[in-house]
Amino acid sequence: EKVKIIFYKEKEWKELIVDKSQLSINNKLLMLSDDGLDVTSENVRYYVNYFNEIMNINDINRLETISHIGWRGNLFIPYDSHGIFDGADDFRNIYRAISSKGNYDKWKEVVQELRKNKYVKLIMATALSGVLIEKLNIPTFIVNVWSSMSGSGKTLTCMCAMSIWGNPEMGGLTLSSNCTQNYYTTIASFMRNYTCYFDELQIVKNSKVIDFESLIMDLCNGTEKGRLNKNSQAREVKTWRNNFLFTNNDRMVNENAGEQIYNRVIDLEVRDKIVDADGQDIARVIKENYGFAGKEYIKHIQSIGFDTIFSRFKRLFNEIVQTTKATDKQANSLACLLLANQLAN
């Protein structure tokens, strides 16, 4: 349980959402002084008594809260639920980024022209396929869009793909690759079913802090490592069922990589410029108009029904296995991309 505290300070109302235990233990409550609550070591016990008495004598309504986005049963957050967001502050910007702005027709006009290029279709299919993975019950996978050529348009194309869901800018749905391995998995567990897009992976490719193959396995396993809290109790293990989109200047899978790595990554090499038109104009349009297509796409999936969608997936999977040398895991990923593209059309 969490509790919202509203207090008046410096001529304005301020809000905090905290764990209920934080209002019951002196040391934990003292930490709220960093957030502006005038609690000190002298008055903290009065605050503890006050908060607990208030909660006991008042009939406080319990409200639904949101700590991650994506599927909740057959509902899709945030489109089908408007509970209170109680996730970490780091994720508040991502949560707010999943919204619509501007003109849908302007966005469609630009994107439909871009989709004449096969790379654009594949990258957009990647962003659309993340929400299918849990419902199809297939493993998480990675799409690495790479080119040794600068100015190929891969970052712009990935931003176009993420504009399906919301604000594609850095700090919104475009995430920096320059983070710790633990932060990657924490982001994944919050986004849950949405595609996680990390730009410029080469920043950490040769990092001494991150074991690259270990990162791939951690992301594709769909679950974080088990940990104990300071009381030696097992913490809740966070999970995710989505996919990952990276831009990079090199392939992700080396020739000597093990089968576990090889089966989980689609290395998409960009050999020509993806965007021939003025990239600055396209960037301006997608930064000013976004977030409409995702909501429409989810409604379309829900109206078709997951049984029908799974049947369509199986047909694509069987065709890939019978006509190519793809392994089952590779065929799962490719069939998911093809299905997402069909549904988008």
Side-chain angles (χ1 to χ4, degrees), residues 182-242:
N182 184 48
Y183 192 71
Y184 274 105
T185 56
T186 305
I187 286 272
S189 69
F190 169 70
M191 296 191 73
R192 194 66 168 262
N193 301 114
Y194 283 88
T195 298
C196 297
Y197 164 46
F198 294 95
D199 193 32
E200 304 293 352
L201 186 63
Q202 65 269 11
I203 295 172
V204 297
K205 187 83 187 275
N206 300 313
S207 168
K208 294 179 181 177
V209 179
I210 292 179
D211 180 337
F212 205 61
E213 289 198 358
S214 171
L215 174 63
I216 293 172
M217 291 304 300
D218 278 357
L219 296 181
C220 292
N221 282 338
T223 179
E224 70 173 354
K225 295 172 183 173
R227 292 184 178 88
L228 298 177
N229 62 20
K230 61 185 179 182
N231 299 319
S232 298
Q233 296 171 325
R235 280 176 44 189
E236 179 187 359
V237 176
K238 295 174 182 175
T239 60
W240 52 92
R241 297 297 300 277
N242 54 4

Side-chain angles (χ1 to χ4, degrees), residues 119-120 122-124 126 142-148 152-158 161 197-202 244-252 265-271 274:
Y119 291 113
V120 176
L122 278 165
I123 292 167
M124 290 189 79
T126 302
I142 292 171
V143 175
N144 178 54
V145 183
W146 72 278
S147 175
S148 56
S152 61
K154 58 185 186 292
T155 295
L156 178 58
T157 306
C158 290
Y197 164 46
F198 294 95
D199 193 32
E200 304 293 352
L201 186 63
Q202 65 269 11
F244 298 87
L245 175 62
F246 290 95
T247 56
N248 199 352
N249 63 5
D250 198 1
R251 64 174 61 252
M252 184 177 279
V265 177
I266 297 173
D267 267 319
L268 181 60
E269 183 183 4
V270 175
R271 296 180 179 177
I274 304 176

Side-chain angles (χ1 to χ4, degrees), residues 3-7 16 18 20 22-24 29 32 37 39 44-58 60:
V3 180
K4 180 192 281 189
I5 307 170
I6 307 171
F7 61 99
L16 295 174
V18 299
K20 192 174 179 182
Q22 195 157 358
L23 304 184
S24 306
L29 186 53
L32 295 185
L37 195 67
V39 57
V44 64
R45 69 181 187 277
Y46 300 115
Y47 267 103
V48 168
N49 292 338
Y50 172 75
F51 282 133
N52 282 282
E53 190 168 338
I54 286 291
M55 286 188 284
N56 287 332
I57 65 175
N58 282 275
I60 298 174

